[in-house]
Every structure is written in C-alpha cells, then in structure tokens.
Amino acid sequence: MGSILLRTVFIYVFLLVIMRVMGKREIGKLSIFDLVVSFMIADISSMAIENKEEPLITWISPIILLASLQILLSFILIKSERIRNWVDGSPVPLIENGKIVDKNMAKLRYNLDDLLTQLREKNIPDVSDVEFAVLETTGKLSVFPKEEKRPAFKEDVRRDLKQFRMPIPVIIDGKVQEEGLKKLGQNRFWLKAEIQKRGLKDFKEVFYAAVNYEGRLYIDRKDRPTR
C-alpha cells in the first residue's frame, strides 16, 4: 500500500510539471490532438500507479515522449496555417447575415437543439436576433447579435416593453410543430398562409420557424442544393 501511495504522489507531481511545461493551452483550449494526448497520458499514469512491479521509468518515458510531441506540434502549428487547419480544424459559420447555414450544420452533424441551447446559454433566445454565429475549433459558439439587439442601458430604451417569453418553434427541419401552434392558438392554415407571404410553397422548404414574444414570425428557409 505504501508503495502505491508513494507512486501516486510522484506521478501527481510529475504530471503537474508536465502539464505546466506543455502550457496553459491544455487548460484553455483542447483541440483533438490535445484531447488524445491528455487521454493517453491519463491512461499511462494510471498504469504506472497500478503496476508497482514495473519501474517508474517504464511509464515516465512514454509520458515525456507524448509531452515532447505535443510541444513540437505546437511550434509547428504556429508556423504552418495549413497543418494548423488540418489538426485543429477551422471555425465554421452556422449563422451568416441572420440566416442559418444548414449545409454547415449538416456537415458538422450539429442539430437545431445544439444551436438553440448554445444561444440560450449566451442569453440569446431568438435566432432572429443573431447576425453571425461561428462554431470555433474548441466547440464553443461565438455569437454576434444584430445591431439593434445589442445590450443597451435602460435609459436608452424609449418604448413600452412587452413581457418576455421564449420563442415558440412552429417548424423544425420542415416538420410542423403542432404543440407550438397550439400554444399560439393557431393552426396549419395560418402557418401555411404566413410562409406563402414569404414566397414559400411548402413546409418542407423551411428549416426553422418560430414566433417570438413580440408576435413576429422568424423563418429560415432551407438552403437550395448547389449543382
């Protein structure tokens, strides 16, 4: 037992040094490569503690090698944009000019629930309030609200405000949300008429539609396939 405890303390201190040498990038930003290295180091460290028959150098050597590879790659990524894009990927726009880029959503296997969740986490309840949204290489969503939706002081507001409520989805990926229509006291005929006003003939042409607390209907049509 004493041997395992001593090995545990040593590995703990050793990993603190290794992670410090590898840099704060490991804490603030985990790319795919960083994640793989972290998992491998964690796995090797657990084996170093459990296999007390093996000398520590047997397990320390591959950890040092992994850390060295990570540091080397970090320097290469600084110098080469092409390799950086290959390893870390590049930011992908999910909303451009207030329009959901559904081909990028499909490419990333990123669904509407994911997008709406991340927007709500940034206190943005309505897609129509967003000018640009970019999925960063870290998996975080950077959101840029429309100019008129940017935060303002209370004294800057010169109109009566309606009571806020979350937008109610009425179409998601071409499918009518009956529960949403019921909450609004509306039906498919009303929804059909509204989308026709926007030049759309069928619900299947709509990627996302929702009614906000001001009663405005936001419609995001599906991207037309490119030939």
Side-chain angles (χ1 to χ4, degrees):
M1 177 63 75
S3 175
I4 293 179
L5 292 177
L6 287 174
R7 291 170 80 97
T8 301
V9 172
F10 177 83
I11 291 296
Y12 172 73
V13 175
F14 174 70
L15 288 181
L16 285 179
V17 174
I18 287 292
M19 297 304 288
R20 184 65 176 172
V21 170
M22 288 169 65
K24 293 183 179 179
R25 183 170 180 268
E26 298 307 305
I27 300 172
K29 175 189 174 185
L30 284 178
S31 67
I32 295 175
F33 182 77
D34 298 330
L35 200 60
V36 169
V37 169
S38 298
F39 282 152
M40 291 182 69
I41 288 178
D43 198 30
I44 295 171
S45 300
S46 64
M47 289 189 291
I49 295 172
E50 293 172 2
N51 295 278
K52 58 182 180 180
E53 292 81 11
E54 295 280 350
L56 278 173
I57 191 65
T58 304
W59 308 106
I60 290 175
S61 298
I63 292 176
I64 294 175
L65 176 61
L66 285 171
S68 301
L69 287 174
Q70 197 279 338
I71 294 170
L72 176 62
L73 183 62
S74 296
F75 282 115
I76 294 174
L77 294 181
I78 293 173
K79 300 294 183 181
S80 174
E81 183 179 358
R82 179 179 298 179
I83 296 177
R84 183 166 64 248
N85 289 337
W86 184 80
V87 174
D88 286 342
S90 55
V92 179
L94 299 184
I95 299 177
E96 281 186 329
N97 300 315
K99 173 81 173 66
I100 298 175
V101 189
D102 38 296
K103 68 176 181 180
N104 287 350
M105 299 267 291
K107 182 180 178 181
L108 296 172
R109 297 183 295 279
Y110 200 89
N111 60 49
L112 272 171
D113 287 336
D114 295 330
L115 179 61
L116 295 175
T117 297
Q118 291 225 40
L119 289 178
R120 287 195 297 269
E121 288 176 352
K122 297 180 180 296
N123 298 319
I124 298 178
D126 199 340
V127 177
S128 64
D129 295 340
V130 180
E131 187 70 25
F132 290 98
V134 179
L135 187 66
E136 306 292 353
T137 57
T138 58
K140 293 182 179 180
L141 191 69
S142 296
V143 180
F144 304 91
K146 291 182 177 178
E147 188 64 34
E148 63 270 20
K149 295 295 182 179
R150 294 184 184 277
F153 294 106
K154 289 183 178 180
E155 56 267 25
D156 294 332
V157 180
R158 295 292 183 266
R159 62 183 177 83
D160 295 330
L161 298 177
K162 295 182 180 179
Q163 184 178 5
F164 172 82
R165 63 177 171 83
M166 294 296 294
I168 300 174
V170 290
I171 300 176
I172 293 179
D173 199 11
K175 296 179 181 178
V176 176
Q177 306 298 300
E178 300 291 350
E179 186 177 344
L181 287 175
K182 186 177 180 181
K183 288 180 179 178
L184 293 168
Q186 299 291 354
N187 53 39
R188 282 175 173 255
F189 297 107
W190 169 82
L191 187 57
K192 187 81 169 181
E194 290 296 320
I195 68 170
Q196 286 175 346
K197 291 178 184 177
R198 313 287 181 93
L200 299 168
K201 297 179 180 179
D202 195 89
F203 298 131
K204 292 181 180 179
E205 297 179 54
V206 181
F207 186 60
Y208 175 73
V211 177
N212 68 9
Y213 72 103
E214 294 178 322
R216 290 189 293 108
L217 176 65
Y218 169 79
I219 296 178
D220 184 273
R221 68 172 66 197
K222 290 185 178 180
D223 292 338
R224 294 193 178 106
T226 55
R227 294 182 180 178

